[in-house]
Amino acid sequence: MAIVLSRPSGINNLLVFLLVGALAFQLTRTVDARRIISSLVDGLGFYALLNVVSYMLGLRSPTEAEGWRLYLMADGASRIIFPLDQRLNLPPVLAAMYIAALIFLIREPGRARKIFRCIYLIAAVAILVGSGTRVPAVLALALPIMALLIPAFSRWVPVVAVAFASVSAAILPTIVAAIGFLLNPLVSAVSGRRDSYESLGALNGRDYVWQKAISYWQSEVTDLLHTLFGFGLYGHYSSGVSLTYYKLLSHAIVRDPEKTITVHNSFLQQLYDGGIAGWVLLTVALAWTAVRLSSHFRDWGNYAAAAGMAFTVVILCSMTEVLLHGTVITSFVLLVIVAAACQARPQVMANANSRRRPLFETRNSAESTTDGNRPR
């Protein structure tokens, strides 16, 4: 992300990213990662509740207020853009993260905590239903079920998710087209949308966007600097690739569509923003985090599973949205998870802390020995 945000157009975003990174690093040094994970999950739930309450009070998203309202009709009902973000699909992703992680933390002690978490759960479900998003809704349902049926699932699924998502733009359309007859009833039931089989198989036009983006990269991006380090923030616009596909999405009423309509895949977006170096570093960092979370299962138990589920939701949703970007809230949430995964195991931390004795304790013990307190 730093490769992308360090360009001149992203200095302000880089500063925010560095500040959040420093905060996450300091938290990991001073707070048990299990408490960090629990607080992070509660924060996701509180965010869902704020969105629902704000919408009920009449507040609307800046996107809607500026007349950009995105009406994607599903049986005559418009999908809700919740007030605390300008994106239609971002609040549902955060809501799905909360639902997928909650199953592992619901038994934490504290009556008030359980009550609030149930309220957050209702709000998260309301966001998924109101927004009518597919991937977050399916993941919020499928991941907890799989984790309950297969105990080892929550341990290895983050690793598999990173491996699959990193190349999803090239392979996902073929897979969805092959199993679309199975996915269509499930997706329609969960999201409440009744799109055609052809629409689902084409991922609502994303297959066309990815095909154009991959072909453009292979034929038009020949400069070594851009190949290695990308085009910086909004690389899809700076490179010119968005001009090859944005008219396909002309039904979306947005300002400057050639700039605002991304390639709808986080890893493909990273390729254009940060080049091959950025794509490799992002993939390796996420794979390392997934492996690290898996290694913490013995020490953290359900907290590692909760972090792994939230992590998996972001990674899998990033296959159809740009979520691993330094200007998107999901990247900051992911940064906290990455920082927590870096924390040493509890026993290692205890041993390290035991070797860090304050200087005044040593002096006191020495003084007690010289002041007549020697054993006789």
Side-chain angles (χ1 to χ4, degrees):
M1 295 181 188
I3 292 177
V4 178
L5 297 178
S6 61
R7 310 300 173 86
S9 61
I11 292 299
N12 294 336
N13 296 318
L14 177 62
L15 292 177
V16 174
F17 177 79
L18 292 176
L19 288 174
V20 175
L23 176 61
F25 176 75
Q26 182 62 21
L27 280 175
T28 305
R29 292 182 65 242
T30 57
V31 181
D32 191 296
R34 290 166 290 189
R35 291 184 59 189
I36 296 175
I37 293 168
S38 180
S39 297
L40 180 65
V41 172
D42 286 337
L44 294 172
F46 184 64
Y47 176 82
L49 180 62
L50 282 180
N51 263 299
V52 173
V53 171
S54 299
Y55 188 81
M56 293 175 64
L57 292 176
L59 298 180
R60 294 296 181 263
S61 167
T63 301
E64 182 176 342
E66 293 183 20
W68 301 355
R69 180 161 179 78
L70 183 62
Y71 282 106
L72 297 178
M73 305 304 293
D75 289 342
S78 62
R79 299 163 61 187
I80 297 174
I81 306 175
F82 282 91
L84 300 187
D85 199 88
Q86 299 184 28
R87 300 186 177 201
L88 172 69
N89 293 326
L90 188 57
V93 171
L94 297 172
M97 291 176 66
Y98 177 76
I99 295 173
L102 180 63
I103 185 176
F104 296 99
L105 301 180
I106 195 65
R107 296 182 64 181
E108 273 194 310
R111 182 177 180 181
R113 174 181 293 175
K114 291 181 179 179
I115 292 175
F116 276 109
R117 283 179 173 172
C118 289
I119 296 174
Y120 297 156
L121 177 61
I122 295 173
V125 172
I127 287 178
L128 291 177
V129 173
S131 61
T133 53
R134 290 194 183 101
V135 177
V138 171
L139 293 177
L141 178 65
L143 290 180
I145 292 176
M146 294 298 296
L148 290 175
L149 294 178
I150 307 174
F153 175 82
S154 57
R155 183 167 188 168
W156 55 258
V157 70
V159 180
V160 175
V162 172
F164 182 77
S166 62
V167 294
S168 57
I171 65 176
L172 188 59
T174 302
I175 295 175
V176 172
I179 62 174
F181 68 97
L182 295 175
L183 287 178
N184 196 35
L186 174 62
V187 169
S188 297
V190 172
S191 67
R193 293 163 62 184
R194 298 294 186 271
D195 294 306
S196 66
Y197 174 84
E198 291 76 12
S199 177
L200 178 63
L203 295 161
N204 277 88
R206 286 176 174 84
D207 64 335
Y208 178 83
V209 173
W210 298 341
Q211 178 186 358
K212 288 291 185 180
I214 294 173
S215 299
Y216 190 91
W217 178 269
Q218 293 173 340
S219 62
E220 302 296 332
V221 183
T222 57
D223 181 79
L224 181 60
L225 181 64
H226 288 151
T227 301
L228 290 178
F229 301 108
F231 296 84
L233 200 64
Y234 301 109
H236 62 285
Y237 175 70
S238 302
S239 65
V241 67
S242 61
L243 298 177
T244 66
Y245 63 74
Y246 82 94
K247 291 183 179 179
L248 176 69
L249 306 178
S250 59
H251 64 276
I253 306 174
V254 295
R255 182 182 299 173
D256 300 325
E258 68 277 8
K259 184 175 182 178
T260 56
I261 298 178
T262 65
V263 295
H264 286 285
N265 181 284
S266 294
F267 291 89
L268 191 56
Q269 184 72 40
Q270 178 69 3
L271 185 64
Y272 274 93
D273 291 351
I276 294 176
W279 180 89
V280 170
L281 290 174
L282 177 64
T283 303
V284 170
L286 294 175
W288 182 89
T289 302
V291 172
R292 186 75 177 178
L293 287 173
S294 178
S295 69
H296 279 303
F297 263 67
R298 179 176 298 178
D299 303 307
W300 295 355
N302 286 339
Y303 296 95
M309 286 293 100
F311 177 88
T312 301
V313 169
V314 176
I315 298 302
L316 293 181
C317 287
S318 70
M319 296 189 302
T320 56
E321 301 293 336
V322 175
L323 302 175
L324 308 180
H325 198 280
T327 62
V328 184
I329 189 174
T330 44
S331 65
F332 299 131
V333 174
L334 194 63
L335 187 60
V336 175
I337 296 176
V338 172
C342 294
Q343 193 173 92
R345 293 178 177 178
Q347 186 60 42
V348 176
M349 291 186 64
N351 293 337
N353 291 333
S354 66
R355 292 194 295 268
R356 299 175 184 172
R357 291 183 176 276
L359 185 59
F360 72 86
E361 289 187 5
T362 304
R363 289 177 176 174
N364 288 343
S365 61
E367 291 173 359
S368 65
T369 304
T370 57
D371 289 344
N373 292 326
R374 300 173 183 170
R376 297 179 182 178

